[in-house]
Amino acid sequence: MKNFVVKTIANAGALAVAVWLLDKITLTGDSTAKKAGTLIVVALVFGLVNFLVKPIVKVLTFPLFILTLGLITLVVNALMLLLTSWVCGKLQLSFHVEGFWTAVVGGLIVSVVSWALHMVLPDED
């Protein structure tokens, strides 16, 4: 359970950095507390998308992983971020990613920041 909470917090922090750095990734809310709550829910959705959809996409695109020496990972991460944005729109959450190239840069930011936070935060269960 502790590992789940740590990963959710790391995803929320990584998404917050992406929202802060990129103008076309938006998170709106009336107050800071509402934005933080929305960010936690978006992090949960992002974690669920990465848990359920990303392995299937990786298996289906395995030849492209070999062909591009893993660079297709940037595209897969961007698609997961766009899918998260779409799901959040359906759930009436105020998180939106505008455009594929914004998603590519946002996915790169989320990956790097999430990796750094996982290195700092405790990982045991």
Side-chain angles (χ1 to χ4, degrees):
M1 183 66 175
K2 184 178 179 183
N3 194 21
F4 173 75
V5 173
V6 168
K7 285 185 179 195
T8 302
I9 291 170
N11 278 340
L15 288 166
V17 170
V19 167
W20 180 60
L21 289 176
L22 300 174
D23 292 335
K24 292 186 178 182
I25 297 179
T26 57
L27 177 74
T28 56
D30 299 337
S31 64
T32 304
K34 185 163 179 147
K35 285 182 183 179
T38 302
L39 196 59
I40 294 294
V41 175
V42 170
L44 288 171
V45 170
F46 185 65
L48 191 63
V49 164
N50 279 330
F51 179 73
L52 295 175
V53 179
K54 193 172 185 176
I56 296 168
V57 172
K58 279 184 151 182
V59 167
L60 293 175
T61 60
F62 184 70
L64 290 174
F65 275 92
I66 293 171
L67 186 64
T68 64
L69 301 175
L71 287 176
I72 195 73
T73 304
L74 292 172
V75 174
V76 171
N77 289 342
L79 292 175
M80 295 306 108
L81 196 57
L82 284 171
L83 182 58
T84 300
S85 175
W86 180 78
V87 170
C88 288
K90 295 296 180 188
L91 295 174
Q92 303 297 320
L93 295 170
S94 59
F95 176 77
H96 181 68
V97 178
E98 185 181 323
F100 175 74
W101 292 110
T102 302
V104 170
V105 175
L108 183 62
I109 291 169
V110 168
S111 295
V112 170
V113 173
S114 181
W115 170 80
L117 288 175
H118 283 295
M119 296 301 287
V120 174
L121 294 172
D123 195 22
E124 67 264 355
D125 233 351

